[in-house]
Amino acid sequence: MTADTPDIAVHIPRLRRYARALVGDASRADDLVQDTLERALRKFTLWRHGSDLRAWLFTIMHNIFINQLRANRLPSVPLDDTGENTLAAPPAGQEQQLQIRDLMTALRHLPAEFRAVVLLVGLEELSYDEAARVLGVPRGTVMSRLARGREKLQALMAGEQVPTLRRVK
């Protein structure tokens, strides 16, 4: 890479945070980040200079994650609630720790397509358009999934049972 090539390494902390939120396990998240970086470096000539490198890296990670889910290489219920907080948070009191644990448990129960949108927009602060590019879906789909994902999260946090939607093929 040349001096005018952007530094991929500056995006690694955000990639790790998103990966840990997706898969819920530090070692599997590191594997996902490594796979993402490997593919990004191998396919770097496909990145358009001047476009958003961060969004391109998130797109690669999302595609790898979905491929691994389809191949059953990752569990469909990723986040464990054994007490390890996989999302970085400031030190909190006991009540806040319980809320964080409940949020992690609720995230675990969201379908992958809702969880990805909630994490990209809520945690990684991507715009709707950026999230749509990362996920390869229209902006309206991102908005819809985000609204339904937030609704399901709120219901789960309130202790309600959220009915699951069945997939029609």
PDB file of all heavy atoms in Angstrom, residues 89-119:
ATOM      1  N   ALA A  89     -18.601  -0.508  28.106  1.00  0.00           N
ATOM      2  CA  ALA A  89     -19.474   0.394  28.850  1.00  0.00           C
ATOM      3  C   ALA A  89     -18.684   0.975  30.005  1.00  0.00           C
ATOM      4  O   ALA A  89     -17.772   0.346  30.531  1.00  0.00           O
ATOM      5  CB  ALA A  89     -20.687  -0.368  29.380  1.00  0.00           C
ATOM      6  N   PRO A  90     -19.042   2.188  30.410  1.00  0.00           N
ATOM      7  CA  PRO A  90     -18.361   2.764  31.558  1.00  0.00           C
ATOM      8  C   PRO A  90     -18.723   1.998  32.824  1.00  0.00           C
ATOM      9  O   PRO A  90     -19.727   1.288  32.855  1.00  0.00           O
ATOM     10  CB  PRO A  90     -18.901   4.192  31.603  1.00  0.00           C
ATOM     11  CG  PRO A  90     -20.195   4.133  30.877  1.00  0.00           C
ATOM     12  CD  PRO A  90     -20.062   3.049  29.851  1.00  0.00           C
ATOM     13  N   PRO A  91     -17.909   2.106  33.856  1.00  0.00           N
ATOM     14  CA  PRO A  91     -18.255   1.443  35.100  1.00  0.00           C
ATOM     15  C   PRO A  91     -19.655   1.855  35.543  1.00  0.00           C
ATOM     16  O   PRO A  91     -20.029   3.017  35.451  1.00  0.00           O
ATOM     17  CB  PRO A  91     -17.203   1.954  36.083  1.00  0.00           C
ATOM     18  CG  PRO A  91     -16.082   2.440  35.237  1.00  0.00           C
ATOM     19  CD  PRO A  91     -16.684   2.868  33.941  1.00  0.00           C
ATOM     20  N   ALA A  92     -20.408   0.894  35.989  1.00  0.00           N
ATOM     21  CA  ALA A  92     -21.794   1.173  36.329  1.00  0.00           C
ATOM     22  C   ALA A  92     -22.131   0.583  37.689  1.00  0.00           C
ATOM     23  O   ALA A  92     -21.479  -0.331  38.174  1.00  0.00           O
ATOM     24  CB  ALA A  92     -22.708   0.573  35.274  1.00  0.00           C
ATOM     25  N   GLY A  93     -23.197   1.116  38.275  1.00  0.00           N
ATOM     26  CA  GLY A  93     -23.700   0.583  39.532  1.00  0.00           C
ATOM     27  C   GLY A  93     -24.388  -0.736  39.286  1.00  0.00           C
ATOM     28  O   GLY A  93     -24.536  -1.189  38.147  1.00  0.00           O
ATOM     29  N   GLN A  94     -24.827  -1.338  40.351  1.00  0.00           N
ATOM     30  CA  GLN A  94     -25.425  -2.665  40.265  1.00  0.00           C
ATOM     31  C   GLN A  94     -26.663  -2.666  39.359  1.00  0.00           C
ATOM     32  O   GLN A  94     -26.826  -3.566  38.538  1.00  0.00           O
ATOM     33  CB  GLN A  94     -25.787  -3.158  41.658  1.00  0.00           C
ATOM     34  CG  GLN A  94     -26.247  -4.594  41.685  1.00  0.00           C
ATOM     35  CD  GLN A  94     -26.437  -5.088  43.105  1.00  0.00           C
ATOM     36  OE1 GLN A  94     -26.405  -4.312  44.055  1.00  0.00           O
ATOM     37  NE2 GLN A  94     -26.646  -6.367  43.244  1.00  0.00           N
ATOM     38  N   GLU A  95     -27.500  -1.654  39.489  1.00  0.00           N
ATOM     39  CA  GLU A  95     -28.708  -1.604  38.666  1.00  0.00           C
ATOM     40  C   GLU A  95     -28.352  -1.469  37.186  1.00  0.00           C
ATOM     41  O   GLU A  95     -28.940  -2.127  36.336  1.00  0.00           O
ATOM     42  CB  GLU A  95     -29.600  -0.444  39.098  1.00  0.00           C
ATOM     43  CG  GLU A  95     -30.930  -0.427  38.380  1.00  0.00           C
ATOM     44  CD  GLU A  95     -31.871   0.624  38.933  1.00  0.00           C
ATOM     45  OE1 GLU A  95     -31.832   0.896  40.144  1.00  0.00           O
ATOM     46  OE2 GLU A  95     -32.653   1.156  38.136  1.00  0.00           O
ATOM     47  N   GLN A  96     -27.363  -0.637  36.889  1.00  0.00           N
ATOM     48  CA  GLN A  96     -26.947  -0.477  35.498  1.00  0.00           C
ATOM     49  C   GLN A  96     -26.341  -1.765  34.958  1.00  0.00           C
ATOM     50  O   GLN A  96     -26.550  -2.113  33.797  1.00  0.00           O
ATOM     51  CB  GLN A  96     -25.960   0.676  35.364  1.00  0.00           C
ATOM     52  CG  GLN A  96     -26.619   2.034  35.515  1.00  0.00           C
ATOM     53  CD  GLN A  96     -25.595   3.145  35.490  1.00  0.00           C
ATOM     54  OE1 GLN A  96     -24.570   3.066  36.137  1.00  0.00           O
ATOM     55  NE2 GLN A  96     -25.889   4.186  34.731  1.00  0.00           N
ATOM     56  N   GLN A  97     -25.589  -2.474  35.782  1.00  0.00           N
ATOM     57  CA  GLN A  97     -25.021  -3.757  35.351  1.00  0.00           C
ATOM     58  C   GLN A  97     -26.128  -4.743  35.000  1.00  0.00           C
ATOM     59  O   GLN A  97     -26.027  -5.480  34.019  1.00  0.00           O
ATOM     60  CB  GLN A  97     -24.116  -4.348  36.445  1.00  0.00           C
ATOM     61  CG  GLN A  97     -22.820  -3.612  36.627  1.00  0.00           C
ATOM     62  CD  GLN A  97     -21.876  -3.802  35.445  1.00  0.00           C
ATOM     63  OE1 GLN A  97     -22.024  -4.697  34.645  1.00  0.00           O
ATOM     64  NE2 GLN A  97     -20.894  -2.924  35.360  1.00  0.00           N
ATOM     65  N   LEU A  98     -27.204  -4.750  35.791  1.00  0.00           N
ATOM     66  CA  LEU A  98     -28.325  -5.640  35.508  1.00  0.00           C
ATOM     67  C   LEU A  98     -29.028  -5.232  34.214  1.00  0.00           C
ATOM     68  O   LEU A  98     -29.435  -6.094  33.427  1.00  0.00           O
ATOM     69  CB  LEU A  98     -29.312  -5.640  36.673  1.00  0.00           C
ATOM     70  CG  LEU A  98     -28.804  -6.278  37.966  1.00  0.00           C
ATOM     71  CD1 LEU A  98     -29.803  -6.071  39.096  1.00  0.00           C
ATOM     72  CD2 LEU A  98     -28.513  -7.754  37.762  1.00  0.00           C
ATOM     73  N   GLN A  99     -29.151  -3.935  33.978  1.00  0.00           N
ATOM     74  CA  GLN A  99     -29.771  -3.468  32.741  1.00  0.00           C
ATOM     75  C   GLN A  99     -28.919  -3.858  31.533  1.00  0.00           C
ATOM     76  O   GLN A  99     -29.455  -4.254  30.500  1.00  0.00           O
ATOM     77  CB  GLN A  99     -29.975  -1.958  32.780  1.00  0.00           C
ATOM     78  CG  GLN A  99     -31.090  -1.537  33.717  1.00  0.00           C
ATOM     79  CD  GLN A  99     -31.212  -0.015  33.830  1.00  0.00           C
ATOM     80  OE1 GLN A  99     -30.277   0.713  33.527  1.00  0.00           O
ATOM     81  NE2 GLN A  99     -32.369   0.431  34.287  1.00  0.00           N
ATOM     82  N   ILE A 100     -27.608  -3.748  31.671  1.00  0.00           N
ATOM     83  CA  ILE A 100     -26.709  -4.135  30.577  1.00  0.00           C
ATOM     84  C   ILE A 100     -26.836  -5.632  30.316  1.00  0.00           C
ATOM     85  O   ILE A 100     -26.920  -6.073  29.164  1.00  0.00           O
ATOM     86  CB  ILE A 100     -25.251  -3.738  30.890  1.00  0.00           C
ATOM     87  CG1 ILE A 100     -25.111  -2.210  30.848  1.00  0.00           C
ATOM     88  CG2 ILE A 100     -24.281  -4.397  29.911  1.00  0.00           C
ATOM     89  CD1 ILE A 100     -23.790  -1.706  31.378  1.00  0.00           C
ATOM     90  N   ARG A 101     -26.869  -6.418  31.373  1.00  0.00           N
ATOM     91  CA  ARG A 101     -27.031  -7.869  31.209  1.00  0.00           C
ATOM     92  C   ARG A 101     -28.355  -8.187  30.520  1.00  0.00           C
ATOM     93  O   ARG A 101     -28.416  -9.009  29.603  1.00  0.00           O
ATOM     94  CB  ARG A 101     -26.974  -8.561  32.561  1.00  0.00           C
ATOM     95  CG  ARG A 101     -26.999 -10.089  32.428  1.00  0.00           C
ATOM     96  CD  ARG A 101     -27.523 -10.789  33.643  1.00  0.00           C
ATOM     97  NE  ARG A 101     -28.893 -10.346  33.895  1.00  0.00           N
ATOM     98  CZ  ARG A 101     -29.492 -10.429  35.074  1.00  0.00           C
ATOM     99  NH1 ARG A 101     -28.851 -10.903  36.109  1.00  0.00           N
ATOM    100  NH2 ARG A 101     -30.726 -10.025  35.228  1.00  0.00           N
ATOM    101  N   ASP A 102     -29.423  -7.494  30.920  1.00  0.00           N
ATOM    102  CA  ASP A 102     -30.728  -7.716  30.305  1.00  0.00           C
ATOM    103  C   ASP A 102     -30.721  -7.308  28.832  1.00  0.00           C
ATOM    104  O   ASP A 102     -31.327  -7.977  27.994  1.00  0.00           O
ATOM    105  CB  ASP A 102     -31.816  -6.947  31.052  1.00  0.00           C
ATOM    106  CG  ASP A 102     -32.082  -7.507  32.448  1.00  0.00           C
ATOM    107  OD1 ASP A 102     -31.618  -8.626  32.747  1.00  0.00           O
ATOM    108  OD2 ASP A 102     -32.750  -6.807  33.237  1.00  0.00           O
ATOM    109  N   LEU A 103     -30.030  -6.211  28.531  1.00  0.00           N
ATOM    110  CA  LEU A 103     -29.933  -5.770  27.142  1.00  0.00           C
ATOM    111  C   LEU A 103     -29.184  -6.802  26.304  1.00  0.00           C
ATOM    112  O   LEU A 103     -29.593  -7.130  25.189  1.00  0.00           O
ATOM    113  CB  LEU A 103     -29.243  -4.410  27.056  1.00  0.00           C
ATOM    114  CG  LEU A 103     -28.989  -3.880  25.651  1.00  0.00           C
ATOM    115  CD1 LEU A 103     -30.300  -3.685  24.889  1.00  0.00           C
ATOM    116  CD2 LEU A 103     -28.206  -2.577  25.716  1.00  0.00           C
ATOM    117  N   MET A 104     -28.094  -7.328  26.845  1.00  0.00           N
ATOM    118  CA  MET A 104     -27.335  -8.345  26.117  1.00  0.00           C
ATOM    119  C   MET A 104     -28.191  -9.590  25.872  1.00  0.00           C
ATOM    120  O   MET A 104     -28.152 -10.179  24.793  1.00  0.00           O
ATOM    121  CB  MET A 104     -26.063  -8.718  26.890  1.00  0.00           C
ATOM    122  CG  MET A 104     -25.092  -7.560  27.081  1.00  0.00           C
ATOM    123  SD  MET A 104     -24.523  -6.859  25.540  1.00  0.00           S
ATOM    124  CE  MET A 104     -23.511  -8.194  24.978  1.00  0.00           C
ATOM    125  N   THR A 105     -28.976  -9.975  26.863  1.00  0.00           N
ATOM    126  CA  THR A 105     -29.860 -11.128  26.711  1.00  0.00           C
ATOM    127  C   THR A 105     -30.928 -10.840  25.658  1.00  0.00           C
ATOM    128  O   THR A 105     -31.222 -11.689  24.817  1.00  0.00           O
ATOM    129  CB  THR A 105     -30.514 -11.475  28.062  1.00  0.00           C
ATOM    130  OG1 THR A 105     -29.481 -11.769  29.009  1.00  0.00           O
ATOM    131  CG2 THR A 105     -31.443 -12.661  27.947  1.00  0.00           C
ATOM    132  N   ALA A 106     -31.486  -9.631  25.690  1.00  0.00           N
ATOM    133  CA  ALA A 106     -32.505  -9.254  24.703  1.00  0.00           C
ATOM    134  C   ALA A 106     -31.907  -9.234  23.300  1.00  0.00           C
ATOM    135  O   ALA A 106     -32.532  -9.716  22.344  1.00  0.00           O
ATOM    136  CB  ALA A 106     -33.107  -7.897  25.064  1.00  0.00           C
ATOM    137  N   LEU A 107     -30.707  -8.699  23.156  1.00  0.00           N
ATOM    138  CA  LEU A 107     -30.039  -8.692  21.850  1.00  0.00           C
ATOM    139  C   LEU A 107     -29.855 -10.111  21.329  1.00  0.00           C
ATOM    140  O   LEU A 107     -29.999 -10.366  20.135  1.00  0.00           O
ATOM    141  CB  LEU A 107     -28.683  -7.993  21.935  1.00  0.00           C
ATOM    142  CG  LEU A 107     -28.688  -6.481  21.848  1.00  0.00           C
ATOM    143  CD1 LEU A 107     -27.317  -5.921  22.205  1.00  0.00           C
ATOM    144  CD2 LEU A 107     -29.117  -6.014  20.477  1.00  0.00           C
ATOM    145  N   ARG A 108     -29.546 -11.017  22.220  1.00  0.00           N
ATOM    146  CA  ARG A 108     -29.330 -12.416  21.836  1.00  0.00           C
ATOM    147  C   ARG A 108     -30.590 -13.014  21.209  1.00  0.00           C
ATOM    148  O   ARG A 108     -30.512 -13.869  20.334  1.00  0.00           O
ATOM    149  CB  ARG A 108     -28.905 -13.207  23.063  1.00  0.00           C
ATOM    150  CG  ARG A 108     -28.940 -14.702  22.878  1.00  0.00           C
ATOM    151  CD  ARG A 108     -28.479 -15.436  24.112  1.00  0.00           C
ATOM    152  NE  ARG A 108     -29.628 -15.718  24.951  1.00  0.00           N
ATOM    153  CZ  ARG A 108     -29.622 -15.680  26.275  1.00  0.00           C
ATOM    154  NH1 ARG A 108     -28.552 -15.337  26.926  1.00  0.00           N
ATOM    155  NH2 ARG A 108     -30.703 -15.964  26.949  1.00  0.00           N
ATOM    156  N   HIS A 109     -31.741 -12.533  21.639  1.00  0.00           N
ATOM    157  CA  HIS A 109     -33.000 -13.094  21.142  1.00  0.00           C
ATOM    158  C   HIS A 109     -33.525 -12.414  19.883  1.00  0.00           C
ATOM    159  O   HIS A 109     -34.523 -12.872  19.325  1.00  0.00           O
ATOM    160  CB  HIS A 109     -34.055 -13.056  22.230  1.00  0.00           C
ATOM    161  CG  HIS A 109     -33.761 -13.973  23.388  1.00  0.00           C
ATOM    162  ND1 HIS A 109     -32.832 -14.989  23.345  1.00  0.00           N
ATOM    163  CD2 HIS A 109     -34.271 -14.029  24.632  1.00  0.00           C
ATOM    164  CE1 HIS A 109     -32.794 -15.621  24.506  1.00  0.00           C
ATOM    165  NE2 HIS A 109     -33.653 -15.055  25.306  1.00  0.00           N
ATOM    166  N   LEU A 110     -32.875 -11.356  19.451  1.00  0.00           N
ATOM    167  CA  LEU A 110     -33.296 -10.707  18.203  1.00  0.00           C
ATOM    168  C   LEU A 110     -32.834 -11.535  17.013  1.00  0.00           C
ATOM    169  O   LEU A 110     -31.727 -12.063  17.014  1.00  0.00           O
ATOM    170  CB  LEU A 110     -32.669  -9.313  18.084  1.00  0.00           C
ATOM    171  CG  LEU A 110     -33.265  -8.179  18.877  1.00  0.00           C
ATOM    172  CD1 LEU A 110     -32.514  -6.878  18.565  1.00  0.00           C
ATOM    173  CD2 LEU A 110     -34.737  -7.996  18.606  1.00  0.00           C
ATOM    174  N   PRO A 111     -33.651 -11.611  15.975  1.00  0.00           N
ATOM    175  CA  PRO A 111     -33.184 -12.249  14.739  1.00  0.00           C
ATOM    176  C   PRO A 111     -31.962 -11.501  14.209  1.00  0.00           C
ATOM    177  O   PRO A 111     -31.823 -10.291  14.404  1.00  0.00           O
ATOM    178  CB  PRO A 111     -34.382 -12.103  13.796  1.00  0.00           C
ATOM    179  CG  PRO A 111     -35.572 -11.951  14.700  1.00  0.00           C
ATOM    180  CD  PRO A 111     -35.063 -11.213  15.905  1.00  0.00           C
ATOM    181  N   ALA A 112     -31.085 -12.199  13.525  1.00  0.00           N
ATOM    182  CA  ALA A 112     -29.814 -11.634  13.064  1.00  0.00           C
ATOM    183  C   ALA A 112     -30.001 -10.373  12.235  1.00  0.00           C
ATOM    184  O   ALA A 112     -29.236  -9.422  12.366  1.00  0.00           O
ATOM    185  CB  ALA A 112     -29.021 -12.672  12.275  1.00  0.00           C
ATOM    186  N   GLU A 113     -31.043 -10.328  11.374  1.00  0.00           N
ATOM    187  CA  GLU A 113     -31.214  -9.148  10.523  1.00  0.00           C
ATOM    188  C   GLU A 113     -31.616  -7.916  11.333  1.00  0.00           C
ATOM    189  O   GLU A 113     -31.197  -6.801  11.021  1.00  0.00           O
ATOM    190  CB  GLU A 113     -32.210  -9.401   9.380  1.00  0.00           C
ATOM    191  CG  GLU A 113     -33.619  -9.752   9.810  1.00  0.00           C
ATOM    192  CD  GLU A 113     -33.858 -11.248  10.003  1.00  0.00           C
ATOM    193  OE1 GLU A 113     -32.887 -12.031  10.019  1.00  0.00           O
ATOM    194  OE2 GLU A 113     -35.030 -11.629  10.149  1.00  0.00           O
ATOM    195  N   PHE A 114     -32.375  -8.095  12.414  1.00  0.00           N
ATOM    196  CA  PHE A 114     -32.722  -6.964  13.287  1.00  0.00           C
ATOM    197  C   PHE A 114     -31.516  -6.563  14.130  1.00  0.00           C
ATOM    198  O   PHE A 114     -31.240  -5.387  14.316  1.00  0.00           O
ATOM    199  CB  PHE A 114     -33.881  -7.310  14.214  1.00  0.00           C
ATOM    200  CG  PHE A 114     -35.201  -7.510  13.517  1.00  0.00           C
ATOM    201  CD1 PHE A 114     -36.179  -8.304  14.093  1.00  0.00           C
ATOM    202  CD2 PHE A 114     -35.481  -6.923  12.292  1.00  0.00           C
ATOM    203  CE1 PHE A 114     -37.401  -8.493  13.477  1.00  0.00           C
ATOM    204  CE2 PHE A 114     -36.701  -7.106  11.662  1.00  0.00           C
ATOM    205  CZ  PHE A 114     -37.666  -7.894  12.261  1.00  0.00           C
ATOM    206  N   ARG A 115     -30.816  -7.561  14.659  1.00  0.00           N
ATOM    207  CA  ARG A 115     -29.652  -7.292  15.513  1.00  0.00           C
ATOM    208  C   ARG A 115     -28.587  -6.508  14.753  1.00  0.00           C
ATOM    209  O   ARG A 115     -28.019  -5.547  15.268  1.00  0.00           O
ATOM    210  CB  ARG A 115     -29.086  -8.602  16.062  1.00  0.00           C
ATOM    211  CG  ARG A 115     -27.976  -8.394  17.076  1.00  0.00           C
ATOM    212  CD  ARG A 115     -27.542  -9.685  17.755  1.00  0.00           C
ATOM    213  NE  ARG A 115     -27.135 -10.707  16.827  1.00  0.00           N
ATOM    214  CZ  ARG A 115     -27.770 -11.876  16.640  1.00  0.00           C
ATOM    215  NH1 ARG A 115     -28.841 -12.173  17.326  1.00  0.00           N
ATOM    216  NH2 ARG A 115     -27.311 -12.753  15.778  1.00  0.00           N
ATOM    217  N   ALA A 116     -28.334  -6.892  13.497  1.00  0.00           N
ATOM    218  CA  ALA A 116     -27.315  -6.200  12.699  1.00  0.00           C
ATOM    219  C   ALA A 116     -27.670  -4.729  12.520  1.00  0.00           C
ATOM    220  O   ALA A 116     -26.819  -3.852  12.687  1.00  0.00           O
ATOM    221  CB  ALA A 116     -27.159  -6.884  11.339  1.00  0.00           C
ATOM    222  N   VAL A 117     -28.927  -4.429  12.211  1.00  0.00           N
ATOM    223  CA  VAL A 117     -29.340  -3.037  12.007  1.00  0.00           C
ATOM    224  C   VAL A 117     -29.261  -2.260  13.317  1.00  0.00           C
ATOM    225  O   VAL A 117     -28.743  -1.138  13.351  1.00  0.00           O
ATOM    226  CB  VAL A 117     -30.764  -2.967  11.410  1.00  0.00           C
ATOM    227  CG1 VAL A 117     -31.273  -1.535  11.387  1.00  0.00           C
ATOM    228  CG2 VAL A 117     -30.789  -3.539  10.006  1.00  0.00           C
ATOM    229  N   VAL A 118     -29.754  -2.846  14.395  1.00  0.00           N
ATOM    230  CA  VAL A 118     -29.716  -2.161  15.704  1.00  0.00           C
ATOM    231  C   VAL A 118     -28.275  -1.847  16.090  1.00  0.00           C
ATOM    232  O   VAL A 118     -27.972  -0.746  16.561  1.00  0.00           O
ATOM    233  CB  VAL A 118     -30.425  -3.005  16.793  1.00  0.00           C
ATOM    234  CG1 VAL A 118     -30.137  -2.481  18.178  1.00  0.00           C
ATOM    235  CG2 VAL A 118     -31.927  -3.046  16.535  1.00  0.00           C
ATOM    236  N   LEU A 119     -27.378  -2.780  15.873  1.00  0.00           N
ATOM    237  CA  LEU A 119     -25.976  -2.565  16.240  1.00  0.00           C
ATOM    238  C   LEU A 119     -25.289  -1.553  15.327  1.00  0.00           C
ATOM    239  O   LEU A 119     -24.526  -0.709  15.800  1.00  0.00           O
ATOM    240  CB  LEU A 119     -25.217  -3.896  16.231  1.00  0.00           C
ATOM    241  CG  LEU A 119     -25.630  -4.885  17.316  1.00  0.00           C
ATOM    242  CD1 LEU A 119     -24.959  -6.239  17.086  1.00  0.00           C
ATOM    243  CD2 LEU A 119     -25.315  -4.359  18.693  1.00  0.00           C
TER     244      LEU A 119
END
